[in-house]
């Protein structure tokens, strides 16, 4: 029975022409199947196109190998915040579910974080306190919009989550930072005086009613010639 089940399972998978790439036949989806530092990684690349799968496989393999190297340093209790951020960035870059624009936005938020917090990149991640994070948040909230603030706080938390996951820290010091309410932009309608000039005035004075064609009246023909159907 076991041999039969294994044979059936093997038929569900087929090797692709590229190393570390397999195809799940029932769905046609490609998967990465590779070993990094002795750890077997099997992950969906979320595509049925071979050329796309190969590109995503390269990104995933690069990010996993970089992450494994940083993890080795982390096990010795050594990690700067910049190293935690690079591990996070590698995971984002290797996530096939994210669109390029989303990856670029994460990069923008990391850049904004380091710019708004001088010296953070080289700080030992173990020495950064909850008070440090709250002080930065109070300053940064006055420098940017609500959406950018919330997303930058999210990146800060995720970088500390990496340190916690790898055993370098016990808890996340940015967990207590509160998000701010994103207020919708106020709609600015034209004033009454603005309706007396420009397109508004032209529209009011010259646009005909619907039963007349809803056109500008000075574009209406004056020759009284018959308009054939083909001319419409």
């Amino acid at each position: 029975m076991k041999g039969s089940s294994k044979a059936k399972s093997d038929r569900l998978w087929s090797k692709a022409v590229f190393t570390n790439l397999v195809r799940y036949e029932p769905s046609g989806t490609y998967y990465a199947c590779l070993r990094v530092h002795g750890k077997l990684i099997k992950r969906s690349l979320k595509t049925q196109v071979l050329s796309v799968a190969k590109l995503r496989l390269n990104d995933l393999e690069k990010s996993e190998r970089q992450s494994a190297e940083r993890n080795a340093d982390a096990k010795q209790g050594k990690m700067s915040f910049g190293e935690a951020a690079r591990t996070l960035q590698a995971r984002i870059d290797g996530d096939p579910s994210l669109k390029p624009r989303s990856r670029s936005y994460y990069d923008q938020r990391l850049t904004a974080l380091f710019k708004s917090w001088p010296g953070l990149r080289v700080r030992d991640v173990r020495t950064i306190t909850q008070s440090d994070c709250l002080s930065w948040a109070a300053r940064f909230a006055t420098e940017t919009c609500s959406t950018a603030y919330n997303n930058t706080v999210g990146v800060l938390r995720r970088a500390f989550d990496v340190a916690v996951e790898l055993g370098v820290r016990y808890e996340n010091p940015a967990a207590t930072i509160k998000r701010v309410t994103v207020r919708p932009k106020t709609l600015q309608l034209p004033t009454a005086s603005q309706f007396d000039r420009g397109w508004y005035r032209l529209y009011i004075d010259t646009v005909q009613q619907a039963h007349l064609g809803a056109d500008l009246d000075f574009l209406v023909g004056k020759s009284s010639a018959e308009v054939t159907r083909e001319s419409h």
Side-chain angles (χ1 to χ4, degrees):
M1 290 293 291
K2 290 184 178 180
S4 176
S5 298
K6 185 178 185 303
K8 183 177 180 181
S9 176
D10 290 342
R11 288 197 298 269
L12 297 177
W13 298 90
S14 62
K15 292 184 178 180
V17 295
F18 299 111
T19 305
N20 299 329
L21 192 63
V22 295
R23 185 171 184 264
Y24 186 58
E25 293 299 334
S27 65
T29 301
Y30 286 97
Y31 280 71
C33 187
L34 64 154
R35 194 174 292 275
V36 178
H37 286 216
K39 178 184 177 182
L40 180 63
I41 298 173
K42 194 169 187 178
R43 188 174 303 167
S44 171
L45 297 173
K46 299 185 178 180
T47 182
Q48 299 175 346
V49 181
L50 179 60
S51 58
V52 176
K54 180 62 169 63
L55 293 173
R56 291 181 177 177
L57 172 65
N58 291 339
D59 291 341
L60 175 64
E61 185 172 3
K62 179 181 178 181
S63 67
E64 288 294 334
R65 294 194 185 282
Q66 290 176 339
S67 180
E69 291 174 0
R70 283 189 281 270
N71 290 353
D73 290 337
K75 288 181 180 178
Q76 301 176 16
K78 302 175 182 178
M79 176 174 276
S80 67
F81 184 87
E83 290 170 333
R86 284 195 296 273
T87 298
L88 172 62
Q89 186 71 64
R91 293 180 180 181
I92 291 171
D93 291 342
D95 187 345
S97 67
L98 291 178
K99 296 181 179 179
R101 187 171 181 178
S102 297
R103 297 176 188 175
S104 176
Y105 187 70
Y106 275 111
D107 185 58
Q108 291 175 24
R109 291 302 93 213
L110 276 170
T111 299
L113 173 61
F114 288 130
K115 183 177 180 180
S116 63
W117 192 334
L120 176 63
R121 192 187 300 270
V122 297
R123 284 276 299 272
D124 186 327
V125 76
R126 297 168 299 180
T127 67
I128 302 173
T129 66
Q130 175 180 312
S131 178
D132 291 333
C133 294
L134 292 174
S135 296
W136 164 81
R139 294 193 307 272
F140 189 59
T142 65
E143 301 171 0
T144 190
C145 67
S146 301
T147 300
Y149 171 84
N150 288 338
N151 290 327
T152 307
V153 168
V155 167
L156 178 67
R157 287 175 178 167
R158 290 188 62 180
F160 279 120
D161 283 340
V162 170
V164 173
E165 174 192 330
L166 297 177
V168 181
R169 285 195 63 109
Y170 176 69
E171 60 185 1
N172 189 327
T176 57
I177 300 177
K178 295 182 179 180
R179 294 169 60 89
V180 299
T181 302
V182 178
R183 302 185 184 281
K185 294 182 179 179
T186 303
L187 181 63
Q188 294 289 340
L189 295 176
T191 62
S193 61
Q194 289 177 312
F195 280 103
D196 290 331
R197 57 188 177 86
W199 167 248
Y200 298 111
R201 187 75 264 164
L202 183 67
Y203 181 89
I204 293 172
D205 290 344
T206 66
V207 173
Q208 299 176 320
Q209 296 300 313
H211 70 285
L212 296 176
D215 204 351
L216 299 173
D217 61 8
F218 54 80
L219 296 179
V220 177
K222 303 295 184 180
S223 67
S224 300
E226 180 183 359
V227 179
T228 61
R229 182 176 182 83
E230 288 72 17
S231 299
H232 283 278

